[in-house]
Amino acid sequence: MIQDSIHLKAPGNWINDPNGFIYYNGEYHLFYQHFPYAPRWGTMHWGHAVSPDLVHWEHLGVALLPTKDYDRNGVFSGSALEIGGRLHLYYTAVQYEQPLREDIHLPDGDRFQASQAMVISPDGRHFDNWKDKRQIIPVLTDPDFGDKKDTRDPKVWREADGCRMVLGSSREGKGRVLFFRSDNGLSWTYANQFSAPELGRVLECPDLFPLEEGWLFLGSPMGVTADGLSYADQAMYARAHFDPDSCRLSLDGPMAFVDHGLDFYAPQSTLDREGRRVLIGWMRMPRPVEDAPDGRGPWNGMMSLPRLVTLREGHVCFPVHPDVAAAFDQPAEGLAPLAQHRPVRLRTTLREGEGLNLGGYRLRLREGRLEGDRSAVFAGLQNCRLTARTPRLTGDACRLDIFLDPNLIEVFVNDGAYVLSHIVYGLGTRLEGPVEAVSTI
Ligand code: FRU
């Protein structure tokens, strides 16, 4: 089976969103949206990988696949919950009105319907896609309580008196979320809904969890950064108030980007082995990588590094997970390990006007903001964002903790106060600029 370290990548062909992220039976499970037949989006399956430590990942193949009439065109995103020792996986079941005649893996005219379904696995290793599936929320046909097409991505969690579910949805072109509750994780009833302009046209992949005294709401609204460039949609967050009894939600101000590189989408959180909130997102890639050294064939899509979600002086921070940082315990000669497909960690401090050139990728601190520029390492791809920058930083210097893989650079600024991650192609190994420490795994 295919192994990955540091970043979980498609085991070949296509992946998108992280799904069912959970620490269960002594290991981390990460499922993901997967099209097993080509390096492009198509009929969705759930691929499955496990890790003892969030650093080393072993791909276990396909866990969920279409087997029922209601999910015949796709097993869309969802989440996991342990109940009574068994692993419950909740997902969105998709049925096209009509597939395309010449490509049955796509709908004809974007017409489909969605219901919510689940699978119970006895051990997180075996999934009976014929016997152990059930539909739990039917297609929602009353527009007051849902949208027949755009209702998806159940995120489920436990409260003292039962379970809650938040679903992404839409109403007349405006994003909303729906709340359901359940005593046993099997039968679900509608509880409430919430809508706001920040939720875009459709809100995808919502997540909601307590953060110190309040709550944090995360979601991927479609259409909020519509500027004509590919991948306008972004993962965003806001501090929130939530009452688990009534399922009333309100946001505490405007939503902000989770990652300022703007390649990061559909993140999902869980609690790590020590009970800390950890978040992983999908890094979108505009074209496949063809030349994987391990024979996995062309692949498209990878996961970000796991990040903690913390609050520092009222500001939400996403520092790299400490177990991942600790894995970089071997000294390295500059970016040389990249040539052997090994990742590099690089730490430094930049002052105003200073910059780095990391194998063609440029970073600079200008007017108090960190700017990333991938124009020299993006393979001439058109219609994509080549530069990105953080909001204005505090202080006159910024501390950077940078993780490089041949196709991904993740920059943690001031211990995760901001993160800027960029997909790259054709990174070199020449390093220019002030660097304090370099290591590899
Ligand atoms: C987000 C998303 C989800 C959906 C899945 C389909 O990237 O569109 O809303 O469940 O991907 O692959």
Side-chain angles (χ1 to χ4, degrees):
M1 272 297 177
I2 303 269
Q3 316 263 342
D4 276 321
S5 29
I6 301 300
H7 293 108
L8 182 77
K9 306 181 185 75
N13 297 311
W14 171 271
I15 69 168
N16 52 288
D17 316 350
N19 296 154
F21 187 24
I22 190 168
Y23 183 68
Y24 167 75
N25 268 356
E27 57 188 357
Y28 293 96
H29 291 255
L30 185 56
F31 301 83
Y32 48 81
Q33 291 285 278
H34 182 39
F35 184 54
Y37 311 127
R40 49 149 265 207
W41 192 90
T43 305
M44 279 294 126
H45 297 53
W46 278 29
H48 184 199
V50 288
S51 170
D53 54 7
L54 292 173
V55 174
H56 302 95
W57 293 96
E58 183 187 356
H59 285 271
L60 299 181
V62 168
L64 308 188
L65 63 149
T67 48
K68 304 291 177 185
D69 193 42
Y70 54 82
D71 69 11
R72 66 180 184 221
N73 298 110
V75 179
F76 273 26
S77 286
S79 56
L81 196 62
E82 176 180 348
I83 302 181
R86 298 191 298 171
L87 189 65
H88 291 49
L89 301 178
Y90 299 88
Y91 68 94
T92 299
V94 168
Q95 198 182 55
Y96 296 162
E97 258 177 46
Q98 185 82 52
L100 274 180
R101 280 181 77 83
E102 296 303 326
D103 183 350
I104 60 157
H105 296 291
L106 294 175
D108 189 355
D110 203 30
R111 289 191 303 272
F112 58 89
Q113 58 178 30
S115 60
Q116 314 311 316
M118 68 184 289
V119 179
I120 301 175
S121 163
D123 56 1
R125 293 274 176 162
H126 299 89
F127 308 90
D128 192 324
N129 282 266
W130 283 266
K131 288 222 279 298
D132 294 335
K133 274 185 184 171
R134 67 176 90 185
Q135 210 176 12
I136 49 171
I137 301 177
V139 177
L140 301 171
T141 49
D142 179 347
D144 285 343
F145 296 101
D147 184 273
K148 148 175 185 275
K149 169 174 167 273
D150 291 318
T151 296
R152 55 181 173 267
D153 310 335
K155 178 73 202 280
V156 173
W157 74 97
R158 201 194 300 274
E159 291 288 339
D161 61 349
C163 305
R164 304 291 184 278
M165 176 191 292
V166 58
L167 279 166
S169 191
S170 143
R171 178 176 197 170
E172 289 161 5
K174 296 197 183 74
R176 69 172 154 177
V177 288
L178 309 174
F179 293 100
F180 284 74
R181 49 189 298 162
S182 167
D183 293 336
N184 55 9
L186 304 174
S187 41
W188 293 85
T189 50
Y190 171 83
N192 213 335
Q193 59 181 290
F194 170 77
S195 182
E198 289 88 345
L199 305 193
R201 269 189 299 117
V202 178
L203 194 278
E204 297 190 305
C205 301
D207 200 346
L208 181 63
F209 49 83
L211 184 65
E212 297 198 358
E213 264 76 80
W215 288 71
L216 196 76
F217 175 75
L218 282 146
S220 294
M222 297 176 81
V224 285
T225 47
D227 58 5
L229 291 174
S230 331
Y231 300 136
D233 307 332
Q234 302 301 331
M236 305 189 81
Y237 73 88
R239 293 180 69 188
H241 296 280
F242 180 70
D243 169 26
D245 269 338
S246 59
C247 290
R248 263 178 67 107
L249 174 70
S250 62
L251 302 186
D252 236 17
M255 293 185 80
F257 294 132
V258 179
D259 187 301
H260 293 270
L262 309 189
D263 287 341
F264 178 94
Y265 200 65
Q268 188 174 94
S269 77
T270 190
L271 295 177
D272 76 359
R273 195 191 337 242
E274 280 156 49
R276 294 170 293 197
R277 185 60 61 170
V278 52
L279 184 77
I280 273 189
W282 166 41
M283 298 303 307
R284 294 177 297 206
M285 302 176 72
R287 70 164 213 211
V289 175
E290 305 284 346
D291 54 353
D294 56 7
R296 71 180 71 200
W299 60 274
N300 188 318
M302 62 196 292
M303 296 300 162
S304 71
L305 285 181
R307 301 151 185 205
L308 293 185
V309 185
T310 62
L311 204 55
R312 216 185 298 141
E313 289 157 20
H315 177 70
V316 181
C317 299
F318 300 98
V320 62
H321 193 285
D323 297 353
V324 174
F328 285 79
D329 58 1
Q330 304 295 312
E333 266 310 304
L335 302 182
L338 289 177
Q340 279 87 50
H341 293 260
R342 274 167 50 228
V344 173
R345 177 186 188 191
L346 201 148
R347 276 167 289 176
T348 193
T349 304
L350 291 185
R351 297 181 183 286
E352 179 63 28
E354 284 184 336
L356 291 171
N357 184 341
L358 308 171
Y361 182 82
R362 291 176 177 277
L363 281 169
R364 179 165 301 280
L365 184 63
R366 206 156 63 111
E367 292 170 7
R369 304 167 72 165
L370 182 74
E371 299 180 343
D373 180 351
R374 62 178 161 195
S375 23
V377 282
F378 212 52
L381 284 152
Q382 302 295 309
N383 198 33
C384 294
R385 288 188 183 80
L386 297 175
T387 59
R389 57 184 187 169
T390 64
R392 193 172 282 279
L393 306 168
T394 50
D396 54 2
C398 63
R399 285 188 317 286
L400 305 183
D401 198 354
I402 307 171
F403 294 82
L404 300 103
D405 229 352
N407 293 100
L408 176 57
I409 296 183
E410 290 168 275
V411 187
F412 295 83
V413 186
N414 294 339
D415 302 309
Y418 297 101
V419 191
L420 191 160
S421 309
H422 262 153
I423 289 290
V424 291
Y425 296 90
L427 207 58
T429 51
R430 209 182 130 104
L431 172 63
E432 288 165 28
V435 167
E436 286 157 18
V438 194
S439 53
T440 186
I441 58 169

